[in-house]
């Protein structure tokens, strides 16, 4: 995955959070296939040398790398707009990879965690939504430091018929499974897993942010 400032994260986001998120989104892709992470490469473009920023970025990146026992093995650095590209490699037992193409008629749709909080964090960051301090901390954590479901992905080997990372939103990414598996799906909005924060603002937000972000 490639993350660009102003597109995939706010340009003024905390450097440690950017480091965390850069690796987390890649770990999440491995998790969606049931793979155990092994190593990754990092290509980093920076507009200028900024030692404090790099220290923070490395702190966030390597803290998550250590948590999941994944090693940085190479990459490149160059001058340019702030951009982070990570290529990650993992292993899964032969024949047990979770694909997008295995869903069948009668399958149930499950997600891990709660939907929509990262979108609320983005709205809070740009001042579109005003939350209480504790609520603000919760949604900004979901936005800047997402949790890759690596353990859950491995536990789903042999259980799930199809799987995908839903960082582009439930509707868009579920659509990829439906297309690959040549099936349809029906979603009961009342059963979507939403946080207490999101439910408190559901009347004004509607379901849009939980479904599409």
């Amino acid at each position: 995955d490639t993350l660009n400032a102003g597109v995939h994260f706010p340009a003024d986001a905390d450097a440690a959070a950017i480091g965390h998120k850069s690796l987390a989104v890649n770990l999440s892709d491995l998790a969606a296939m049931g793979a155990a992470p092994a190593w990754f490469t990092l290509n980093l473009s920076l507009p200028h040398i900024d030692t404090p920023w790099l220290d923070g970025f490395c702190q966030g990146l390597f803290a998550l790398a250590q948590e999941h026992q994944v090693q940085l093995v190479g990459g490149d650095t160059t001058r340019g707009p702030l951009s982070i590209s990570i290529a990650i490699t993992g292993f899964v037992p032969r024949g047990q990879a979770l694909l997008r193409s295995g869903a069948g008629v009668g399958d149930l749709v499950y997600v891990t965690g709660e939907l929509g909080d990262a979108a609320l964090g983005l709205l809070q960051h740009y001042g579109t939504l005003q939350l209480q301090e504790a609520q603000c901390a919760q949604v900004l954590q979901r936005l800047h430091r997402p949790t890759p479901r690596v353990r859950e992905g491995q536990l789903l080997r042999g259980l799930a018929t199809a799987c995908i990372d839903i960082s582009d939103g439930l509707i868009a990414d579920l659509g990829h499974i439906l297309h690959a598996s040549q099936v349809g799906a029906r979603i009961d909005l009342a059963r979507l897993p939403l946080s207490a924060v999101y439910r408190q603002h559901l009347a004004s937000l509607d379901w849009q942010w939980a479904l599409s972000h």
Side-chain angles (χ1 to χ4, degrees):
D1 278 351
T2 297
L3 279 73
N4 295 319
V7 178
H8 302 100
F9 57 86
D12 58 350
D14 174 68
I18 296 173
H20 174 103
K21 187 172 186 176
S22 299
L23 183 57
V25 297
N26 284 273
L27 286 168
S28 187
D29 285 333
L30 281 187
M33 297 194 73
W39 59 77
F40 68 100
T41 60
L42 168 67
N43 293 330
L44 177 62
S45 170
L46 282 173
H48 55 84
I49 296 174
D50 186 340
T51 301
W53 188 94
L54 281 170
D55 287 344
F57 176 82
C58 289
Q59 179 185 7
L61 179 78
F62 288 116
L64 188 61
Q66 183 176 14
E67 179 181 343
H68 292 281
Q69 298 297 297
V70 57
Q71 303 297 320
L72 175 63
V73 297
D76 191 21
T77 57
T78 187
R79 185 182 298 273
L82 178 56
S83 180
I84 304 109
S85 293
I86 288 179
I88 195 165
T89 299
F91 295 97
V92 63
R94 186 182 299 274
Q96 294 187 36
L98 301 173
L99 307 177
R100 302 178 180 185
S101 55
V105 175
D107 284 356
L108 299 177
V109 178
Y110 291 89
V111 298
T112 60
E114 296 168 331
L115 303 177
D117 276 7
L120 300 194
L122 194 61
L123 294 175
Q124 173 71 30
H125 181 87
Y126 287 116
T128 307
L129 184 68
Q130 297 297 324
L131 299 175
Q132 298 173 3
E133 184 176 351
Q135 295 177 334
C136 178
Q138 175 182 319
V139 298
L140 288 178
Q141 177 78 2
R142 295 291 304 279
L143 172 65
H144 295 307
R145 293 180 178 269
T147 302
R149 310 291 181 171
V150 176
R151 179 175 178 271
E152 289 88 340
Q154 294 175 44
L155 290 173
L156 287 173
R157 296 174 189 164
L159 296 176
T161 57
C163 193
I164 193 172
D165 163 82
I166 59 170
S167 57
D168 290 331
L170 175 61
I171 293 296
D173 288 318
L174 176 58
H176 295 316
I177 287 183
L178 302 183
H179 177 76
S181 300
Q182 299 185 19
V183 294
R186 181 181 293 114
I187 296 175
D188 182 352
L189 295 179
R191 299 184 67 180
L192 287 181
L194 305 177
S195 70
V197 177
Y198 197 105
R199 290 194 179 279
Q200 183 176 339
H201 296 272
L202 182 58
S204 59
L205 295 170
D206 205 353
W207 301 96
Q208 170 191 354
W209 301 102
L211 290 169
S212 60
H213 291 76

